[in-house]
Amino acid sequence: MSLTKSPQTETGSTAAPPTAARPPGGRYALRAAGLLGAVLLLCVLLALSLAVGAKPLSLNEAWRGLTDSASPEYTVVHEMRLPRTLLGLMAGTALGLAGGVMQALTRNPLADPGLLGINAGAAAAVVSAISFLGITSFTGYVWFAFAGTGAVSVLVYVVGGGRGATPARLALGGAALNAALFSYVNAVQLLDTASLDKMRFWTVGSLAGAHADTAQKVVWFILLGVLLALALARPLNALALGDDSAQALGAHPARTRAGGMLAVTLLCGAATAACGPIVFVGLMVPHMVRTLTGPDMRWVLPYCAVLAPVLLLGADVLGRVLARPSELQVGIVTAVLGGPFFLYFVRHRKVVRA
Amino acid sequence: MSVIRTAGGRSVAFRPRALAVGLGCLVVAAVASVFAIGSGSGDYPMTTGQVLDTLLGSGNPADEFIVNDIRLPRVVTALLVGAALALGGAVFQSVVRNPLGSPDVLGFTHGAATGALTVIVVFGGGSLALACGAVAGGLATGLLIYGLAWRQGVHGYRLVLIGIGITAILTGVNGYLLTRAQITEAARAVLWMTGSLDGRGWDDAVPLLIAMAVLLPVVLLGCARAMRMLEMGDDAAFALGVPVERIRLTVLAAAVLLVSFGAAAAGPVAFVALTAPQVARRMTKAPGPNLLPSLCTGAALLVIADLAAQRAFSGHQLPVGVITGVLGGGYLVWLLATERKAGRI
C-alpha cells in the first residue's frame, strides 16, 4: 500500500467531503491510503458475493456471467447474485452511515438502528401495510417503512432523554420499544397466517429475496441519505464540542439534528424495507472505524460507508457457505457475530459506570 | 408501616395500604375468575350461582365437567402465570433499580422462547417437552447473562446492557428457527411466542403450582427484607449485614425460574412482568420492591386480559398475549415519557 500523498484517490473513490483541511504530517495520506485499501477490500467482497453460492463459480466464470450474455452463468449472475450483491452494498452503506450519524448525534457509543428499535419501527409499519392494507409491492410499503423509522427515531430520542441521555438509558429505552414493536409484529403475523409465511423471512433480515427492481427502487433513497449524511460530517464535528461551542463556530445544532434524523430515516427506512431488520452493523462498523481514523467525522463517515458493506456482504457470503446447501439469512449472521462484539464492548470499555 | 407484636416477642410489620391493595386485587381476580368460568371458552353459558355451586362441590355432573375439567384449569393457569411473571418482574425491577428492567426487555423470555422453539422445530415435541425446553432455555439464558455481567458483583446497568445484547442475539436465533420450520409448525411457534391460554389443562397448571410453592417462600419470606435494603445501595445494605451478592443471586435465580415456568405454561405473555409491578407500585404508593402486591396485581391482570381476549371479538378468540402486548406497549410508552421526567429511568 502506497504511503505517498494521494488526495485524488480519496476524493475519487467515495463521495468524501473534498474540503478536508490537511492535517500536518503523513496522517492525511495514511487515512486516504487506508480508505483506498477499504475500497479494494470491498471490491474483493463484491467479487466473492457474485461467485459464492449454491452453485459456486470461479472468479473467471463470475466475470463471464457478468459481462457475456451468451455464457451459461449469465442467468445466475444477473438474475440472482447481482441484485443480491448490489442490495447488500446499498443496505450495508446505509446501515453503517446511519450508525455513524446516530452515534455522533446522540453522543452515544451504543447507538445502532437495530438496538434502538428503529428497524423494529420500520418492521411494524411494513407488517401493518402488508397485513391490513394488502400492500405487497416494495414501492407501496417503503413509505410506511419511512414513516415507522421516522416516528420511532424521534420517539426513542425524546424518550431516551434527548441531549442528556446516558448510553445505558438510551439503549434501555430502545430495547423496551423494540420489545413492544416486535410483540405487535408477532401479534399481526398470528392473526394473518397467509402473510406470516411471507413475513417470517422478511423479519429476520435477508438479502436472498432480492430482485433487480428492489435494488433499483431503493437506490435513490439511499443515495440521497448518503449524500445528506456525508454533508453533515463537518457540522457533526462541531456538535461534538457541545451546543454552545458549535454555535460559536457557526454551526446550527438544531438544523444538524434535524438533518441527521432525516438522513437516518432515509437510510434505515430504505434498508429495512428492502432487507428486513438487520442488527449490529450500524453498531460495530463505526467503532472499528474510529479506532482506525480517530473521531473526525469527515473520515469516520466515508470509512463507514465503505466498510459496512464489507461486513454485510461478508456476513451474507458466510451465511451461504455455512449452511450449504441452504443458507443462513444475513440478519442472523450479523446478530450472532455482532452480539459478542457488543458484549465485549459492554464488559471491557467504560461505557457503563458501576 | 404498622406492626403487630405477639406475646412471644415476635413481630410482624406490614403496610396497611399495601395489604389492602393486595387483598383488593385478589378479590378482583376472584370475581373475574368466576365470571370467566361462567362465560368462558365454548358455548355453555352458566350463571354465577351455578359456577359457585359447582366450585363448592354441589353442581350437576354436566356443570362439574365443564368447570373442573375445562374452564377451571385455564383460569387457574392464568392466575398462576400472571402471579409468576409479575413476581419475577418485580424482583428484576428491584435488583436492576429500573422500571424497565423486566425479563421481557432483558432477554430471559427470549431464552425461554429459544428453548421452546428448538423443541417445536427440531424435535417436534409435545407440550411437556415444550415446557421443559422453555425452562431449560430460560435458565441457560439466566446463567449466561449472570456470568457475563459478573465483575466483582453483578449490578444495575451492566446486567441491563448484557441482557440487551443477549436479546439481540436470541432474536436472530429465534428468527432463524422460525424460518426453518414448516408453515404449520411456524404458526404453532408464533402462537406459543405470543402467549396463549387456550386449551390449558391441569397438566400445565400443576408444574407451575409446584414451582411456585417452592419459590414463593424463598423470595417472599427469605429475601424480601434484604431486597428492601438492597434498594438503598450495596454499601448501605452490606453495612446493615445483608450478604449482597448471595441475596442477589438467590432472588435472580428464583425470578428466572418463575418467569421460565410461567412461560412454559402459557408462553412468554408480553409485558405482564413489566406492567404489573409498576401498577402495583402506583396503587400502594410504597417504596421497595412491593413483591406481594405485584403478585396479586399480576394474577388479576392476566385473568382479566384473558377474559377480554376471549370476548373482544365475538366468535373470534385472540391469544391473551395480543391483548397484553397491545395494552402493555401503550403503557410502556407512557411509562417512558413520565418516568424520564421524574429521572427514574
Side-chain angles (χ1 to χ4, degrees):
Chain A
M1 212 182 287
S2 146
L3 293 184
T4 52
K5 294 179 181 176
S6 51
Q8 301 95 319
T9 54
E10 183 264 323
T11 47
S13 54
T14 68
T19 50
R22 185 174 295 208
R27 299 275 299 277
Y28 180 85
L30 203 63
R31 288 172 181 170
L35 195 58
L36 183 66
V39 171
L40 288 176
L41 194 61
L42 180 59
C43 292
V44 172
L45 259 301
L46 288 172
L48 269 179
S49 175
L50 287 179
V52 177
K55 179 183 187 299
L57 304 174
S58 72
L59 287 181
N60 232 343
E61 287 170 322
W63 178 250
R64 245 188 311 146
L66 195 61
T67 51
D68 177 9
S69 61
S71 76
E73 294 86 12
Y74 186 81
T75 328
V76 171
V77 172
H78 272 257
E79 295 291 311
M80 297 165 71
R81 304 256 173 98
L82 189 61
R84 179 175 191 157
T85 305
L86 290 178
L87 195 61
L89 175 67
M90 287 189 285
T93 301
L95 292 171
L97 272 178
V101 170
M102 282 171 67
Q103 288 176 14
L105 212 57
T106 57
R107 285 189 226 150
N108 180 342
L110 296 180
D112 170 84
L115 287 179
L116 292 194
I118 290 170
N119 290 349
V126 168
V127 163
S128 310
I130 293 178
S131 188
F132 295 131
L133 304 174
I135 296 169
T136 48
S137 73
F138 178 79
T139 35
Y141 61 65
V142 69
W143 302 105
F144 287 86
F146 287 135
T149 311
V152 175
S153 39
V154 172
L155 192 64
V156 80
Y157 186 69
V158 172
V159 150
R163 268 166 270 165
T166 65
R169 190 192 289 170
L170 199 64
L172 189 54
L177 277 178
N178 231 338
L181 291 166
F182 273 117
S183 112
Y184 168 77
V185 169
N186 256 355
V188 173
Q189 289 185 332
L190 192 70
L191 297 176
D192 184 3
T193 325
S195 47
L196 165 64
D197 203 26
K198 180 179 163 62
M199 288 187 294
R200 67 181 162 141
F201 289 96
W202 183 83
T203 45
V204 244
S206 167
L207 299 173
H211 295 293
D213 52 334
T214 314
Q216 259 169 36
K217 281 166 188 158
V218 85
V219 68
W220 297 110
F221 297 115
I222 290 188
L223 207 58
L224 196 63
V226 168
L227 291 177
L228 184 57
L230 292 176
L232 285 172
R234 197 182 266 273
L236 283 175
N237 273 345
L239 209 60
L241 304 171
D243 280 22
D244 294 341
S245 311
Q247 237 154 6
L249 289 171
H252 301 269
R255 225 184 279 173
T256 308
R257 288 205 181 85
M261 292 276 194
L262 184 62
V264 168
T265 302
L266 279 170
L267 293 167
C268 294
T272 308
C275 317
I278 293 175
V279 77
F280 283 132
V281 174
L283 177 83
M284 280 192 280
V285 174
H287 278 293
M288 295 179 187
V289 164
R290 274 195 297 270
T291 60
L292 296 175
T293 64
D296 185 347
M297 294 301 284
R298 289 172 304 180
W299 287 102
V300 170
L301 290 180
Y303 266 83
C304 284
V306 178
L307 285 179
V310 169
L311 179 73
L312 195 67
L313 287 171
D316 189 39
V317 169
L318 197 64
R320 285 184 243 170
V321 175
L322 284 179
R324 263 192 188 139
S326 110
E327 57 179 70
L328 281 172
Q329 283 77 10
V330 67
I332 295 158
V333 180
T334 60
V336 173
L337 286 181
F341 175 87
F342 176 87
L343 297 176
Y344 174 83
F345 189 75
V346 170
R347 267 179 69 82
H348 293 277
R349 302 280 194 91
K350 295 257 182 267
V351 191
V352 210
R353 244 164 269 133
Chain B
M1 187 81 85
S2 304
V3 181
I4 296 175
R5 293 183 196 284
T6 59
R10 294 191 146 271
S11 67
V12 182
F14 65 96
R15 290 173 196 282
R17 191 184 169 102
L19 200 65
V21 167
L23 288 176
C25 282
L26 285 185
V27 171
V28 170
V31 171
S33 302
V34 170
F35 195 60
I37 293 172
S39 69
S41 50
D43 296 322
Y44 190 83
M46 297 165 79
T47 64
T48 310
Q50 269 175 298
V51 173
L52 289 177
D53 281 348
T54 316
L55 285 178
L56 296 173
S58 55
N60 67 49
D63 286 358
E64 270 185 0
F65 171 73
I66 293 283
V67 169
N68 291 338
D69 290 351
I70 297 178
R71 292 181 187 172
L72 188 58
R74 176 178 185 147
V75 169
V76 169
T77 311
L79 288 169
L80 292 175
V81 169
L85 291 177
L87 185 59
V91 167
F92 268 99
Q93 291 177 11
S94 169
V95 169
V96 175
R97 285 185 216 149
N98 192 306
L100 296 182
S102 90
D104 334 35
V105 176
L106 299 190
F108 296 91
T109 48
H110 286 78
T114 307
L117 274 177
T118 310
V119 169
I120 294 178
V121 174
V122 181
F123 304 109
S127 64
L128 181 67
L130 192 150
C132 295
V135 173
L139 261 187
T141 311
L143 281 177
L144 187 65
I145 292 179
Y146 194 84
L148 285 171
W150 175 273
R151 270 184 110 183
Q152 287 118 42
V154 168
H155 178 60
Y157 269 128
R158 198 174 333 111
L159 189 70
V160 171
L161 289 171
I162 298 278
I164 290 172
I166 297 282
T167 308
I169 300 175
L170 289 175
T171 308
V173 173
N174 290 352
Y176 170 70
L177 288 170
L178 262 189
T179 62
R180 293 301 303 270
Q182 307 290 325
I183 181 70
T184 48
E185 285 172 351
R188 185 178 161 218
V190 171
L191 178 65
W192 186 85
M193 279 164 70
T194 311
S196 167
L197 288 160
D198 197 28
R200 292 298 179 275
W202 292 117
D203 304 356
D204 300 290
V206 169
L208 182 55
L209 194 62
I210 296 171
M212 287 181 76
V214 176
L215 293 169
L216 285 194
V218 172
V219 177
L220 293 176
L221 300 178
C223 301
R225 185 187 287 254
M227 281 180 71
R228 269 204 301 282
M229 293 178 190
L230 268 181
E231 286 199 352
M232 298 189 296
D234 287 8
D235 293 342
F238 190 73
L240 288 168
V242 175
V244 173
E245 280 307 326
R246 202 171 75 209
I247 291 288
R248 200 141 50 204
L249 179 63
T250 312
V251 290
L252 282 181
V256 168
L257 278 171
L258 281 169
V259 169
S260 304
F261 271 97
V269 186
F271 289 127
V272 176
L274 181 106
T275 41
Q278 288 300 310
V279 172
R281 180 181 289 257
R282 277 178 177 66
M283 289 194 298
T284 60
K285 294 185 178 163
N290 276 305
L291 296 176
L292 207 54
S294 301
L295 182 146
C296 300
T297 310
L301 249 168
L302 202 59
V303 173
I304 295 172
D306 192 37
L307 194 61
Q310 290 178 56
R311 313 198 79 199
F313 299 96
S314 55
H316 192 84
Q317 287 205 10
L318 288 174
V320 65
V322 173
I323 301 286
T324 61
V326 171
L327 292 181
Y331 183 76
L332 172 71
V333 172
W334 179 82
L335 188 70
L336 283 168
T338 55
E339 290 285 289
R340 185 180 66 77
K341 279 191 203 122
R344 274 191 293 265
I345 291 182

